[in-house]
Structures are given as structure tokens and as C-alpha cells.
Amino acid sequence: MAEEMQLDIVEDHRVDDHRAVNRGAGDQGVEDNGAAGTARAMRVAATLARKGGDEFAKPGKLVEVRFVKGQSLSLTASRLLALMILTAGGDAWRDTSHKLRKADIRRGHKGNERIVDMLEELHRTLFAEDDTSWRGRKATKRFSLIESSWEEVEEGDKETGWIEWRFTPDARRLIQESQTYSVMNRQAVLGFRSAYALKLYEEGALRLHRRQPIWRVDMLGLRAALGIDPDKYGDFAQLRRKVLTVAQSEIDQLAHYNLEWKEIRRGRAVAEIEFRFVPKDAPAQIQTVDELERHSSGRKARREGEVEMISAPAAIPAPAPAPARPRRAAAAPSSPWEKFPEGSLRYGTAEGAFRDVALRYGGGWDMDVIADAYRQQMGDRLGSLRGAKLEKSWRGFCEAFFSRRGRP
């Protein structure tokens, strides 16, 4: 029964996405395949865009595309690319231009000089994929992701304006062909301070979606995926300290999962790395949501446990309490995430949102079995959980429940 309900939900999404694609029929270029050519990644991206919020989908083939040897994207350019994909949403595969406010890129910086540098870096950075030549032989294809861009020129001291860009045909082809995707959080993407951590975050989110939480890669493949220069961190101890340890600490703090890795040696040299992406349980999910909502200025200190304790000032006598007013009747909940249901998730409108999450992320386990385990783990804390924190906590628990137990 659970599997039938899950299929019904998936089919509903397919119908909505089919209608959305049909509205764009007749477009040229990559869109010649019509609705049948629109991959699952773009249908999910369109759904998340309609929902709003900080979550967005990055197509799997864009996550896995490797850098050309000796090239990589800086942290700021990687963030800009993520914002471009978020903004384009379900239309990223279309042969059209996309627009983004400069203010959404600056994040508090007053000037727009850095935007020019980021755009030019995206234009000149090359990516590579395996392909065949005109003779049918194995070949490496090199390409960029941004075809053209426009930046509005400011008049006077005005700090407003927009940028506009088009993805290259190669980028749109990869986007359209992607049947898998990584669901990422905008605040997490903007919160990373290491470009390597951000790239590993994308890899982990992609593999968790595929239900493949383990990624085993040799050192050449790891360098190509993360964009580590061949002449940089030649000693593995340096790579461990400067890349892996830093990435692990940031991901554990900002992502919806934890990162673990194991070094596989041949002789004395490290030949491969086995990464494991472990979904966080409900309390850890809540801590992550809280951290993403806090200012980034003290994030490193909080991560390293160096936050200073500030003594509270002397207590000021509280004024006399005002006379109590008659209580009004409580308004009906405006969101399904006002509180966790007390009974079965199978029935009722208010339980629908929780039911959908359990079907989608619970791996086929009975939704009420997962709900009972969730109530038991959360205990009294569940009564005070509301809104986005409750939604993310419940989703994270369903993912972790399935990850620990496998399919029923």
C-alpha cells in the first residue's frame, strides 16, 4: 500500500511537470525533444521553485562534471554558479537567458567589482567529460558552462542592477540529461568558507539522493572532482589537513548529513579515499537549521568550541505585571508544520505533509513505524518544534531511519 501511494505522488508530479513543459513546446535547440526530454532533475527543480524556500536541485551531471587539469572554480565563483542554477530552476535546460539581481550576489558587500571577476572566471573555466571523436575513438571533450553574460552598468553611485546570462549548449545538454540531482540548501551553500567543502557537499547530497552513501575514488579522480591543482598538496598529509579535515568540519556543521572518510593504502601511499555520507538524526538536524539561521561571523568559533561565555548583567527588577486579558480562541494552524501529529499519519488533511515526506524519504518503511520511532527519540522536545525546523527534522529522521535499516 505504501508503495502504491508513493507511485501516486510521483505520478502527480509527473502530470504537473508534463503540463509545464508543454507550455514551452516549440522552443528551439536543446528543447527539441519536448516534454519527453525533460529530465527528472528539472522537474524537481521546478517543484522546489514553486514551493519557495532555500532548497534547490542541482542536476547530477553538473555535480559530477570534472574540471580540466589545472583549473578549478574559486569559492565565490562556485557560489555564483549555484545561485545561477537556483535562479534558473526548472528552466535551466531551456535555450533562453536568465536574470539575477546583483544585490542577491553581493550579500552585504557594497561594491559590484567582485561580480565582474566571478563572471569572467565562470566564462574562462573549462570542464571535461569523456566523449568520442569524429572517428568514433575515445576522446576528452572540453567546454565551458556560461555562453554569454550581461551586466548592467551602474549610473553614478547606484549599487543596484541585474546580471543576465545564457548557459552553453553543452551545459544545457548535461542539465537536460540528468536523471539524478542533489538537493542543496541555499544558506548552506553561501555559508561554506572552503571551495573544496562546497564541492564535497554537492557530491554527498547527490549520492544520498541515489541511496548510495559511499563514494570510493582514487586520488586522481578526487583531484579532478574537487579541482585540486596537480602541484598543490603533493604530500597527502597536507591534503588531509588543508582539504579533507576542513571540509569535514564545515559539512558536519552546515549540511543535513555528516561526512566520514577512510584512507585506502597500497604499500605506504594512499591510493583511494572512501567517503561515507551519513544522514543526521532529528536533534542534529535541528541544530543544523539553528546554525544556518545564525550569523556567520561566529560560525568558526562555534564549530571549534571556542565561543566565549558572556556573563549576564545584574538583574533589573521587573515591572508589575499588567492585568491579564481574556484569552482569545486559538486560530486554526496556517501551516501543516505547526505540530507533529499525535495519531496515525495515514488519515487526515493535516497529516498529509508528514505522510508525503515519509513516503518519499522513508525507503518503503511503514510511515507509522517511522513516526513512533521519531516521537520516542524526540521526547518532550517534539512539543516545541514548529515550522521549517519540524519539517527538516522529520525529513532528516526519515532519511536516517532508512539509511540505518535499509529497505524493509
Side-chain angles (χ1 to χ4, degrees):
M1 178 63 72
E3 293 180 353
E4 293 177 358
M5 296 177 68
Q6 188 172 16
L7 288 174
D8 290 340
I9 292 173
V10 172
E11 290 300 326
D12 288 342
H13 283 302
R14 288 177 178 172
V15 170
D16 291 340
D17 296 325
H18 183 76
R19 293 170 180 166
V21 172
N22 282 341
R23 287 196 296 268
D27 293 337
Q28 301 298 315
V30 177
E31 295 175 289
D32 289 342
N33 291 334
T38 308
R40 181 182 305 169
M42 287 294 92
R43 299 199 296 268
V44 173
T47 300
L48 291 175
R50 291 194 298 267
K51 178 182 176 183
D54 287 330
E55 289 189 333
F56 67 100
K58 183 171 182 178
K61 290 203 171 185
L62 283 189
V63 173
E64 294 185 311
V65 67
R66 65 182 187 271
F67 293 100
V68 167
K69 186 176 181 180
Q71 294 199 26
S72 63
L73 286 176
S74 66
L75 176 62
T76 53
S78 298
R79 287 174 178 166
L80 177 57
L81 179 60
L83 289 176
M84 287 175 163
I85 294 171
L86 184 156
T87 302
D91 293 328
W93 65 288
R94 298 184 184 279
D95 185 11
T96 186
S97 61
H98 311 278
K99 305 169 186 65
L100 179 63
R101 291 180 183 272
K102 291 183 180 180
D104 294 333
I105 305 172
R106 289 196 305 264
R107 297 189 69 233
H109 295 281
K110 294 184 178 179
N112 292 322
E113 300 83 5
R114 300 175 65 187
I115 296 178
V116 177
D117 296 336
M118 287 185 279
L119 281 173
E120 293 181 353
E121 182 179 348
L122 285 175
H123 276 290
R124 65 175 178 264
T125 301
L126 292 177
F127 297 82
E129 67 172 342
D130 295 331
D131 204 349
T132 54
S133 69
W134 61 277
R135 297 193 298 169
R137 296 189 176 183
K138 183 178 179 181
T140 298
K141 182 176 183 179
R142 296 174 179 85
F143 56 92
S144 58
L145 297 181
I146 305 300
E147 180 180 74
S148 55
S149 64
W150 298 262
E151 181 207 6
E152 289 186 345
V153 179
E154 319 298 345
E155 296 181 1
D157 296 330
K158 297 174 68 176
E159 297 294 347
T160 58
W162 294 68
I163 66 167
E164 184 179 358
W165 74 93
R166 300 178 74 94
F167 291 115
T168 62
D170 287 302
R172 289 186 280 110
R173 172 182 53 80
L174 290 176
I175 292 170
Q176 187 186 22
E177 291 175 353
S178 295
Q179 294 296 333
T180 60
Y181 53 89
S182 60
V183 175
M184 302 189 297
N185 183 283
R186 177 180 181 274
Q187 293 302 323
V189 168
L190 297 178
F192 284 109
R193 292 294 178 265
S194 164
Y196 304 132
L198 175 54
K199 195 68 180 70
L200 267 175
Y201 168 68
E202 296 178 355
E203 296 279 358
L206 175 64
R207 281 163 175 77
L208 278 179
H209 165 69
R210 291 176 175 172
R211 310 298 188 191
Q212 298 172 348
I214 296 177
W215 178 35
R216 184 164 175 168
V217 59
D218 60 29
M219 299 310 298
L220 288 178
L222 178 64
R223 287 181 175 272
L226 301 187
I228 304 174
D229 191 281
D231 300 326
K232 199 171 185 179
Y233 308 135
D235 182 4
F236 183 80
Q238 291 181 318
L239 189 143
R240 182 197 296 119
R241 184 174 66 256
K242 299 289 187 179
V243 177
L244 300 182
T245 303
V246 172
Q248 182 184 44
S249 61
E250 291 198 18
I251 288 174
D252 288 354
Q253 185 181 32
L254 300 177
H256 56 283
Y257 60 87
N258 289 321
L259 172 66
E260 302 171 356
W261 84 83
K262 180 173 66 175
E263 301 164 10
I264 302 171
R265 297 178 178 269
R266 293 199 183 111
R268 298 181 62 183
V270 176
E272 294 179 316
I273 300 290
E274 183 178 284
F275 294 99
R276 181 180 294 273
F277 309 100
V278 184
K280 292 179 178 177
D281 58 17
Q285 287 277 1
I286 298 171
Q287 292 177 2
T288 299
V289 174
D290 288 338
E291 181 59 46
L292 292 175
E293 293 177 350
R294 301 173 73 178
H295 197 277
S296 61
S297 59
R299 186 160 288 157
K300 182 178 180 181
R302 291 192 293 271
R303 183 166 63 242
E304 298 176 354
E306 298 176 354
V307 181
E308 296 182 359
M309 300 301 294
I310 302 176
S311 58
I316 300 175
R325 295 182 178 180
R327 292 186 178 181
R328 295 181 178 180
S334 57
S335 166
W337 304 104
E338 288 298 317
K339 67 174 185 176
F340 194 81
E342 297 178 356
S344 173
L345 302 185
R346 298 184 183 279
Y347 315 103
T349 303
E351 291 79 6
F354 298 92
R355 182 166 57 244
D356 291 347
V357 169
L359 289 172
R360 187 171 300 176
Y361 300 104
W365 283 87
D366 184 275
M367 64 186 71
D368 287 334
V369 171
I370 304 177
D372 289 341
Y374 181 61
R375 294 186 188 100
Q376 182 176 359
Q377 177 171 322
M378 295 301 296
D380 294 338
R381 291 172 295 180
L382 191 57
S384 59
L385 212 54
R386 298 286 187 274
K389 292 182 181 180
L390 176 56
E391 179 181 4
K392 292 182 180 295
S393 172
W394 171 237
R395 172 179 166 179
F397 184 84
C398 291
E399 291 178 336
F401 190 94
F402 170 47
S403 177
R404 289 193 298 267
R405 293 166 175 79
R407 294 198 176 275

Short mmCIF file of all heavy atoms in Angstrom, two decimals, residues 106-129:
data_model
loop_
_atom_site.label_atom_id
_atom_site.label_comp_id
_atom_site.label_asym_id
_atom_site.label_seq_id
_atom_site.Cartn_x
_atom_site.Cartn_y
_atom_site.Cartn_z
N ARG A 106 25.82 40.00 -3.87
CA ARG A 106 26.79 40.73 -3.04
C ARG A 106 26.77 40.28 -1.60
O ARG A 106 27.80 40.25 -0.94
CB ARG A 106 26.50 42.23 -3.09
CG ARG A 106 26.83 42.88 -4.41
CD ARG A 106 26.90 44.38 -4.25
NE ARG A 106 25.69 44.94 -3.68
CZ ARG A 106 24.70 45.45 -4.40
NH1 ARG A 106 24.78 45.47 -5.71
NH2 ARG A 106 23.61 45.93 -3.82
N ARG A 107 25.59 40.01 -1.04
CA ARG A 107 25.46 39.57 0.35
C ARG A 107 26.14 40.52 1.33
O ARG A 107 26.98 40.16 2.13
CB ARG A 107 26.04 38.18 0.56
CG ARG A 107 25.35 37.09 -0.21
CD ARG A 107 25.84 35.73 0.20
NE ARG A 107 25.42 35.40 1.55
CZ ARG A 107 26.25 34.99 2.51
NH1 ARG A 107 27.55 34.93 2.29
NH2 ARG A 107 25.79 34.69 3.70
N GLY A 108 25.81 41.81 1.23
CA GLY A 108 26.33 42.78 2.19
C GLY A 108 27.49 43.60 1.67
O GLY A 108 27.81 44.64 2.24
N HIS A 109 28.19 43.13 0.62
CA HIS A 109 29.27 43.93 0.06
C HIS A 109 28.68 45.12 -0.68
O HIS A 109 27.69 45.00 -1.39
CB HIS A 109 30.12 43.09 -0.89
CG HIS A 109 30.84 41.97 -0.20
ND1 HIS A 109 31.99 42.18 0.52
CD2 HIS A 109 30.56 40.65 -0.11
CE1 HIS A 109 32.40 41.02 1.02
NE2 HIS A 109 31.55 40.08 0.65
N LYS A 110 29.30 46.29 -0.55
CA LYS A 110 28.75 47.50 -1.14
C LYS A 110 29.03 47.60 -2.63
O LYS A 110 28.23 48.14 -3.38
CB LYS A 110 29.30 48.73 -0.41
CG LYS A 110 28.85 48.82 1.04
CD LYS A 110 29.35 50.10 1.68
CE LYS A 110 28.86 50.21 3.12
NZ LYS A 110 29.34 51.45 3.78
N GLY A 111 30.18 47.14 -3.07
CA GLY A 111 30.55 47.29 -4.47
C GLY A 111 30.23 46.07 -5.30
O GLY A 111 29.96 44.99 -4.79
N ASN A 112 30.26 46.27 -6.63
CA ASN A 112 29.96 45.19 -7.56
C ASN A 112 31.21 44.68 -8.27
O ASN A 112 31.11 43.90 -9.22
CB ASN A 112 28.95 45.67 -8.62
CG ASN A 112 27.58 45.94 -8.01
OD1 ASN A 112 27.14 45.22 -7.13
ND2 ASN A 112 26.91 46.98 -8.47
N GLU A 113 32.41 45.12 -7.83
CA GLU A 113 33.63 44.73 -8.54
C GLU A 113 33.82 43.22 -8.55
O GLU A 113 34.27 42.64 -9.55
CB GLU A 113 34.85 45.41 -7.90
CG GLU A 113 34.81 46.93 -7.90
CD GLU A 113 34.00 47.51 -6.75
OE1 GLU A 113 33.54 46.70 -5.90
OE2 GLU A 113 33.79 48.73 -6.72
N ARG A 114 33.49 42.56 -7.43
CA ARG A 114 33.70 41.12 -7.34
C ARG A 114 32.80 40.36 -8.30
O ARG A 114 33.14 39.26 -8.74
CB ARG A 114 33.46 40.64 -5.91
CG ARG A 114 34.38 41.28 -4.88
CD ARG A 114 34.02 40.86 -3.48
NE ARG A 114 34.23 39.45 -3.27
CZ ARG A 114 33.86 38.80 -2.16
NH1 ARG A 114 33.25 39.46 -1.19
NH2 ARG A 114 34.10 37.51 -2.03
N ILE A 115 31.64 40.92 -8.64
CA ILE A 115 30.73 40.24 -9.55
C ILE A 115 31.37 40.11 -10.92
O ILE A 115 31.24 39.07 -11.59
CB ILE A 115 29.39 41.00 -9.62
CG1 ILE A 115 28.70 40.97 -8.25
CG2 ILE A 115 28.49 40.41 -10.69
CD1 ILE A 115 27.40 41.72 -8.19
N VAL A 116 32.06 41.15 -11.37
CA VAL A 116 32.75 41.11 -12.66
C VAL A 116 33.79 39.98 -12.67
O VAL A 116 33.87 39.19 -13.61
CB VAL A 116 33.42 42.46 -12.96
CG1 VAL A 116 34.20 42.37 -14.27
CG2 VAL A 116 32.39 43.57 -13.04
N ASP A 117 34.58 39.90 -11.59
CA ASP A 117 35.60 38.85 -11.51
C ASP A 117 34.98 37.46 -11.54
O ASP A 117 35.50 36.54 -12.19
CB ASP A 117 36.43 39.03 -10.23
CG ASP A 117 37.20 40.34 -10.23
OD1 ASP A 117 37.47 40.87 -11.33
OD2 ASP A 117 37.53 40.84 -9.13
N MET A 118 33.87 37.29 -10.82
CA MET A 118 33.23 35.97 -10.77
C MET A 118 32.68 35.58 -12.14
O MET A 118 32.82 34.43 -12.58
CB MET A 118 32.11 35.97 -9.73
CG MET A 118 32.60 35.97 -8.29
SD MET A 118 31.24 35.81 -7.10
CE MET A 118 30.66 37.50 -7.03
N LEU A 119 32.05 36.52 -12.84
CA LEU A 119 31.50 36.22 -14.16
C LEU A 119 32.62 35.84 -15.13
O LEU A 119 32.50 34.87 -15.89
CB LEU A 119 30.73 37.43 -14.70
CG LEU A 119 29.32 37.65 -14.16
CD1 LEU A 119 28.77 38.97 -14.66
CD2 LEU A 119 28.41 36.50 -14.56
N GLU A 120 33.71 36.60 -15.13
CA GLU A 120 34.81 36.31 -16.04
C GLU A 120 35.46 34.96 -15.70
O GLU A 120 35.89 34.23 -16.60
CB GLU A 120 35.84 37.43 -15.99
CG GLU A 120 35.29 38.74 -16.56
CD GLU A 120 36.31 39.86 -16.53
OE1 GLU A 120 37.41 39.66 -15.94
OE2 GLU A 120 36.03 40.93 -17.09
N GLU A 121 35.51 34.62 -14.42
CA GLU A 121 36.06 33.32 -14.04
C GLU A 121 35.18 32.19 -14.54
O GLU A 121 35.69 31.17 -15.04
CB GLU A 121 36.20 33.24 -12.52
CG GLU A 121 36.81 31.94 -12.03
CD GLU A 121 36.96 31.88 -10.52
OE1 GLU A 121 36.81 32.94 -9.87
OE2 GLU A 121 37.20 30.78 -9.99
N LEU A 122 33.86 32.35 -14.46
CA LEU A 122 32.96 31.31 -14.97
C LEU A 122 33.10 31.16 -16.48
O LEU A 122 33.01 30.05 -17.01
CB LEU A 122 31.51 31.67 -14.62
CG LEU A 122 31.10 31.45 -13.16
CD1 LEU A 122 29.68 31.95 -12.94
CD2 LEU A 122 31.20 29.99 -12.78
N HIS A 123 33.33 32.28 -17.19
CA HIS A 123 33.49 32.20 -18.64
C HIS A 123 34.75 31.44 -19.04
O HIS A 123 34.72 30.66 -20.00
CB HIS A 123 33.56 33.62 -19.22
CG HIS A 123 32.21 34.23 -19.47
ND1 HIS A 123 31.37 33.80 -20.47
CD2 HIS A 123 31.56 35.25 -18.85
CE1 HIS A 123 30.26 34.52 -20.45
NE2 HIS A 123 30.34 35.41 -19.48
N ARG A 124 35.84 31.63 -18.33
CA ARG A 124 37.11 31.05 -18.78
C ARG A 124 37.42 29.67 -18.18
O ARG A 124 38.36 29.02 -18.61
CB ARG A 124 38.26 32.00 -18.47
CG ARG A 124 38.52 32.24 -16.99
CD ARG A 124 39.76 33.08 -16.77
NE ARG A 124 39.99 33.35 -15.36
CZ ARG A 124 39.60 34.46 -14.74
NH1 ARG A 124 38.94 35.40 -15.41
NH2 ARG A 124 39.85 34.62 -13.45
N THR A 125 36.65 29.22 -17.20
CA THR A 125 36.91 27.91 -16.59
C THR A 125 36.37 26.81 -17.48
O THR A 125 35.21 26.83 -17.91
CB THR A 125 36.27 27.82 -15.20
OG1 THR A 125 36.80 28.85 -14.37
CG2 THR A 125 36.56 26.46 -14.56
N LEU A 126 37.22 25.82 -17.77
CA LEU A 126 36.84 24.71 -18.65
C LEU A 126 36.55 23.46 -17.84
O LEU A 126 37.19 23.19 -16.82
CB LEU A 126 37.97 24.43 -19.65
CG LEU A 126 38.22 25.49 -20.72
CD1 LEU A 126 39.41 25.09 -21.59
CD2 LEU A 126 36.99 25.72 -21.58
N PHE A 127 35.58 22.70 -18.32
CA PHE A 127 35.23 21.41 -17.73
C PHE A 127 35.46 20.33 -18.77
O PHE A 127 35.62 20.61 -19.96
CB PHE A 127 33.78 21.43 -17.26
CG PHE A 127 33.50 22.43 -16.19
CD1 PHE A 127 33.27 23.77 -16.50
CD2 PHE A 127 33.50 22.06 -14.86
CE1 PHE A 127 33.03 24.70 -15.51
CE2 PHE A 127 33.25 22.98 -13.86
CZ PHE A 127 33.02 24.31 -14.18
N ALA A 128 35.48 19.09 -18.31
CA ALA A 128 35.79 17.99 -19.22
C ALA A 128 34.84 16.82 -18.98
O ALA A 128 34.36 16.61 -17.87
CB ALA A 128 37.24 17.53 -19.04
N GLU A 129 34.59 16.07 -20.06
CA GLU A 129 33.82 14.82 -19.96
C GLU A 129 34.32 13.86 -21.02
O GLU A 129 34.89 14.26 -22.04
CB GLU A 129 32.33 15.08 -20.14
CG GLU A 129 31.94 15.55 -21.53
CD GLU A 129 30.44 15.62 -21.73
OE1 GLU A 129 29.71 15.01 -20.93
OE2 GLU A 129 30.00 16.26 -22.70
#
